[in-house]
Amino acid sequence: MSSSKSTRYNRLSGGAAVAAAAATAAATIANVNVNANISSADNINGNRMETTFGPTFSPVAPVAKAETSNNYKQHRRTPSSSSTLTYSPRDDDDMPPISTPRRSDSAISVRSLHSESNMSLRSTFSLHEEEEDTEPQVFAEQPSVKLCCQLCCSVFKDPVITTCGHTFCRRCALTSEKCPVDNSKLTVVVNNIAVAEQIGELFIHCKYGCRPAASGKPGAFEVDPLGCPFTIKLSTRKEHEVSCDYRPVRCPNNPSCPPLLTMNLEAHLKECEHIKCPHSKYGCTFIGNQDTYETHLEVCKFEGLKEFLQQTDDRFHEMQVTLAQKDQDISFLRSMLGKLSEKLDQLEKNLELKFDVLDENQSKLSEDLMEFRRDASMLNDELSHINARLNMGILGSYDPQQIFKCKGTFVGHQGPVWCLCVYSTGDLLFSGSSDKTIKVWDTCTTYKCQKTLEGHDGIVLALCIQGNRLYSGSADCTIIVWDIQTLQKVNTIRAHDNPVCTLVSSHNMLFSGSLKAIKVWDIVGTELKLKKELTGLNHWVRALVASQNHLYSGSYQTIKIWDIRSLECVHVLQTSGGSVYSIAVTNHHIVCGTYENLIHVWDIESKEQVRTLTGHVGTVYALAVISTPDQTKVFSASYDRSLRVWSMDNMICTQTLLRHQGSVTALAVSRGRLFSGAVDSTVKVWTC
């Protein structure tokens, strides 16, 4: 192949397509009134030239190409296709239409000539720019001046918007100190995606259909009539050029064969005189054409051993892989040994520090012990005062058996405890936590955790028992059914679209509360069948209590009373203090705890509010009731880390329990005992 033809197969190392002649550009835009300040006026009017204008295209004949018919077009060749036009865009709106007619067969290489001022501005980066722009870029149609950077005077490359509101190439913005329009400092803000998409839609000639311009100007290219005839979108050029039939390739048999085009490779391989035997790596010296190659394979001494040779190669490769793996293991062990040595040194240093800290802590513990003794003395004084009031008859007759004390603490959860539930038949206590587990505690004999139930993917927020089944609700929006006898999970129900906040059972039905909804489920064995959804609720339903034939639900400043048989709302209690977080029902009262520290009390018969109990300084998260023939006590748990005991006979707080180190979030009662769960991850047991 002649040297003149082979030039179209060379990978050019110059810049992107540069204009062939400045005179041609001058003739093309002869009537343009250059005004570098016009873009500033556009910016004042709120218009950005790069987003309000796009390139216009002349009709071109599409080529039938199966995979990318929208991205490739046939470009017809004419004598004018070898010419190139250059222009130096400076204006936007004041530029009159270019007089040169646009034709689909004209190839325009956009590359502006640099003025002396632009050259001085970009002198620090011009060399690198020429080295990096290695791809020829010959446009099928003249791009709009709106798509050209005012710094490099070329079509935008990676356009970005700067702090001044103008758009430049990223490289230009990073290497130039000031905006040429308003002289402000250039700082890149964000990519200009709109302009980048417009540029990606411009059609260019395949680089294998371009050649150096006849003018000989470095970096200038023109259409090669003997090269690839396709025009492609700039954004898809790589996809086309990888599979282009005009892409230069080398003969795989012999690099010294003349350069080939991809389309001619198959024909060349049929005639190539340098085909080697596939067993040449084992010592076969055969070299010939396709015909002699097939004849040689019939007599080649290595052909009969190819399976053995392949197995040997595979085995050798496996040994190399194993050896490399062993080397990696040795390196890893060495690095681990070094790290262990470092850790040992660090541990020795830490041990010394811990001894020092231990000494300091011992001193602090002594101080804390003294403070605790002072607090105990103050509590004894307060208790004596309360006893005196009781004996004087202010709070009724004094009963020393009604003073609650902490008798023990269950420890084991790895996160806050949010709910408690008691199974009286087996003296079991269930606790749900942020660690996504439910722990089963023996409250009669061993006082230890019997088992940890795992199955939820979120915080366990609610627990409820019906018969021999435990139901748990979670932030993962599900309800899990557990068999209490075997402590195994028997069913999982996707209950709500939001976390299940509370559960209660009555009349062989399960009620679940969530965001603005209460769902009623029929309990059928281990299954839950949705019976009805109670709506008309204004916020999260965080409290549900079933008592006799009524269901009580708490949401934002509202308690709704539902008839369990008809599942209809029969009464609404309006309250204050924000969302209702807890509800308790006694023989004579309805009690609720609110977000704003208050406890409201209504008469259960008249539904009239009779008292508001104050004392807590945090949200009242839970309420529980212990009733005896003589009296009724209500226990309240709060964000302020305390529990309070209220006598419902005279609505007075008779005791404050302070033992938790975090907010108290859950309560449960069984056989005169009170259980409290808190954010400190513990469950405490209180008895009289």
Side-chain angles (χ1 to χ4, degrees):
M1 185 179 298
S2 65
S3 60
S4 61
K5 293 183 178 179
S6 64
T7 57
R8 54 187 171 143
Y9 305 122
N10 294 332
R11 304 292 292 268
L12 299 176
S13 60
V18 178
T24 308
T28 305
I29 56 173
N31 294 323
V32 176
N33 179 21
V34 178
N35 185 357
N37 294 325
I38 192 68
S39 59
S40 176
D42 286 345
N43 292 331
I44 294 173
N45 294 329
N47 300 321
R48 290 287 181 267
M49 65 179 182
E50 50 271 12
T51 57
T52 56
F53 291 87
T56 57
F57 302 103
S58 301
V60 292
V63 174
K65 192 138 180 167
E67 298 179 354
T68 55
S69 59
N70 293 330
N71 298 327
Y72 300 87
K73 297 186 179 180
Q74 185 82 37
H75 190 76
R76 294 172 296 166
R77 307 297 186 188
T78 67
S80 63
S81 297
S82 60
S83 63
T84 60
L85 295 178
T86 64
Y87 68 100
S88 179
R90 288 293 183 270
D91 267 346
D92 297 330
D93 297 335
D94 291 345
M95 178 179 288
I98 296 176
S99 58
T100 304
R102 295 190 177 185
R103 303 188 308 173
S104 62
D105 57 347
S106 63
I108 303 171
S109 174
V110 179
R111 188 81 173 178
S112 66
L113 298 177
H114 297 175
S115 64
E116 293 182 0
S117 60
N118 285 336
M119 283 298 291
S120 63
L121 185 63
R122 302 173 59 238
S123 60
T124 59
F125 202 76
S126 60
L127 178 60
H128 299 286
E129 179 183 9
E130 293 301 324
E131 290 175 354
E132 293 181 10
D133 295 340
T134 59
E135 296 293 338
Q137 200 172 80
V138 181
F139 289 87
E141 297 182 1
Q142 177 175 312
S144 169
V145 294
K146 305 290 184 178
L147 301 179
C148 296
C149 174
Q150 295 190 53
L151 288 172
C152 65
C153 304
S154 301
V155 173
F156 288 113
K157 298 179 182 65
D158 190 9
V160 295
I161 300 175
T162 59
T163 50
C164 62
H166 302 105
T167 296
F168 303 101
C169 303
R170 179 181 293 275
R171 177 187 301 168
C172 298
L174 294 176
T175 56
S176 300
E177 295 183 357
K178 295 185 178 180
C179 174
V181 179
D182 54 20
N183 206 33
S184 60
K185 184 177 180 180
L186 290 181
T187 302
V188 175
V189 176
V190 69
N191 291 337
N192 195 328
I193 299 175
V195 172
E197 290 178 351
Q198 291 186 51
I199 294 173
E201 294 297 315
L202 297 179
F203 281 86
I204 64 170
H205 289 275
C206 172
K207 70 178 181 180
Y208 301 120
C210 301
R211 65 185 181 188
S215 64
K217 186 175 182 63
F221 297 87
E222 63 185 10
V223 174
D224 184 355
L226 301 179
C228 177
F230 291 104
T231 57
I232 53 180
K233 288 184 178 180
L234 183 59
S235 60
T236 60
R237 70 178 300 175
K238 295 297 182 184
E239 300 174 13
H240 165 75
E241 291 171 354
V242 167
S243 59
C244 181
D245 290 339
Y246 289 82
R247 181 170 63 91
V249 294
R250 287 288 183 179
C251 175
N253 299 322
N254 187 6
S256 63
C257 286
L260 303 167
L261 297 182
T262 301
M263 69 175 76
N264 300 329
L265 179 60
E266 184 177 356
H268 170 78
L269 292 177
K270 294 179 180 179
E271 302 174 356
C272 183
E273 297 290 339
H274 302 91
I275 300 177
K276 294 182 180 180
C277 176
H279 308 301
S280 59
K281 61 181 178 179
Y282 303 120
C284 183
T285 59
F286 169 81
I287 297 177
N289 56 27
Q290 186 67 29
D291 295 334
T292 57
Y293 168 78
E294 295 176 357
T295 304
H296 166 74
L297 287 180
E298 297 176 358
V299 298
C300 181
K301 62 182 179 180
F302 294 99
E303 183 68 15
L305 300 173
K306 64 180 181 180
E307 293 184 1
F308 170 75
L309 294 172
Q310 184 61 42
Q311 292 175 359
T312 303
D313 277 351
D314 294 343
R315 180 58 181 165
F316 182 70
H317 177 69
E318 291 176 1
M319 293 176 65
Q320 287 181 320
V321 172
T322 303
L323 183 60
Q325 183 63 40
K326 296 297 183 184
D327 289 340
Q328 292 180 2
D329 293 343
I330 292 172
S331 300
F332 174 73
L333 290 174
R334 287 177 177 172
S335 64
M336 290 300 296
L337 182 60
K339 291 180 180 179
L340 287 174
S341 298
E342 294 176 359
K343 287 185 178 180
L344 184 60
D345 294 339
Q346 186 64 36
L347 287 174
E348 290 178 353
K349 295 179 181 178
N350 290 341
L351 187 59
E352 294 176 358
L353 292 174
K354 287 182 179 179
F355 278 124
D356 295 337
V357 173
L358 185 60
D359 293 337
E360 294 178 2
N361 288 341
Q362 187 175 1
S363 300
K364 291 182 179 179
L365 284 174
S366 299
E367 296 175 0
D368 292 342
L369 181 59
M370 295 296 294
E371 185 176 353
F372 174 75
R373 288 175 177 173
R374 288 194 297 270
D375 293 342
S377 177
M378 293 175 62
L379 288 174
N380 288 332
D381 293 342
E382 182 179 352
L383 184 60
S384 299
H385 178 67
I386 292 175
N387 290 339
R389 295 179 66 192
L390 288 171
N391 293 329
M392 292 171 62
I394 298 176
L395 300 179
S397 61
Y398 171 61
D399 184 0
Q401 298 300 320
Q402 294 302 313
I403 300 300
F404 282 83
K405 297 182 179 180
C406 180
K407 293 298 183 180
T409 303
F410 291 132
V411 179
H413 278 296
Q414 302 300 312
V417 177
W418 293 107
C419 52
L420 297 173
C421 188
V422 175
Y423 182 59
S424 301
T425 304
D427 284 319
L428 298 178
L429 174 69
F430 299 87
S431 59
S433 169
S434 289
D435 60 15
K436 305 178 185 179
T437 67
I438 302 168
K439 289 191 179 292
V440 186
W441 309 92
D442 182 349
T443 65
C444 183
T445 56
T446 65
Y447 299 97
K448 294 182 178 179
C449 178
Q450 286 194 343
K451 190 172 183 180
T452 299
L453 309 182
E454 299 180 349
H456 281 293
D457 294 324
I459 298 172
V460 182
L461 296 172
L463 293 172
C464 175
I465 289 177
Q466 173 71 22
N468 292 326
R469 299 281 187 265
L470 171 70
Y471 301 88
S472 60
S474 169
D476 61 13
C477 309
T478 66
I479 297 175
I480 294 182
V481 185
W482 310 84
D483 188 302
I484 297 180
Q485 302 300 324
T486 61
L487 296 178
Q488 298 293 325
K489 180 172 66 174
V490 295
N491 198 3
T492 301
I493 296 94
R494 178 76 180 185
H496 290 270
D497 295 328
N498 294 286
V500 180
C501 298
T502 179
L503 294 172
V504 69
S505 62
S506 180
H507 293 67
N508 205 37
M509 292 182 292
L510 181 71
F511 302 85
S512 60
S514 184
L515 178 62
K516 297 184 179 181
I518 300 172
K519 289 190 177 181
V520 186
W521 310 83
D522 276 327
I523 300 175
V524 184
T526 61
E527 299 291 327
L528 293 179
K529 304 294 184 183
L530 183 61
K531 183 175 183 178
K532 187 176 181 180
E533 182 172 351
L534 309 182
T535 58
L537 299 147
N538 59 9
H539 207 261
W540 287 97
V541 180
R542 294 186 173 93
L544 285 176
V545 172
S547 178
Q548 297 181 354
N549 293 323
H550 291 94
L551 173 71
Y552 301 81
S553 66
S555 53
Y556 182 74
Q557 299 192 154
T558 304
I559 295 178
K560 287 197 172 185
I561 305 175
W562 310 80
D563 187 297
I564 290 183
R565 291 164 296 187
S566 64
L567 298 178
E568 297 294 332
C569 180
V570 296
H571 206 93
V572 178
L573 303 179
Q574 298 293 336
T575 181
S576 61
S579 294
V580 176
Y581 273 75
S582 53
I583 297 175
V585 179
T586 71
N587 293 332
H588 304 288
H589 298 100
I590 303 168
V591 187
C592 83
T594 66
Y595 174 79
E596 295 179 1
N597 322 334
L598 302 177
I599 300 175
H600 299 288
V601 184
W602 288 266
D603 184 272
I604 198 168
E605 296 296 336
S606 65
K607 305 298 187 297
E608 295 291 331
Q609 185 169 346
V610 296
R611 189 69 63 88
T612 296
L613 307 180
T614 60
H616 283 297
V617 291
T619 300
V620 182
Y621 283 130
L623 294 169
V625 178
I626 293 182
S627 295
T628 65
D630 298 330
Q631 60 182 337
T632 299
K633 289 186 179 294
V634 171
F635 301 85
S636 59
S638 172
Y639 175 85
D640 62 13
R641 305 184 180 184
S642 72
L643 292 87
R644 286 181 175 262
V645 185
W646 306 86
S647 172
M648 298 309 293
D649 296 334
N650 47 26
M651 306 290 179
I652 292 178
C653 175
T654 61
Q655 191 177 356
T656 300
L657 309 179
L658 296 170
R659 290 299 293 273
H660 281 289
Q661 301 301 312
S663 303
V664 188
T665 58
L667 295 175
V669 294
S670 174
R671 300 183 182 181
R673 296 172 298 177
L674 174 69
F675 303 91
S676 61
V679 173
D680 61 12
S681 307
T682 66
V683 178
K684 293 189 181 295
V685 185
W686 308 82
T687 60
C688 293

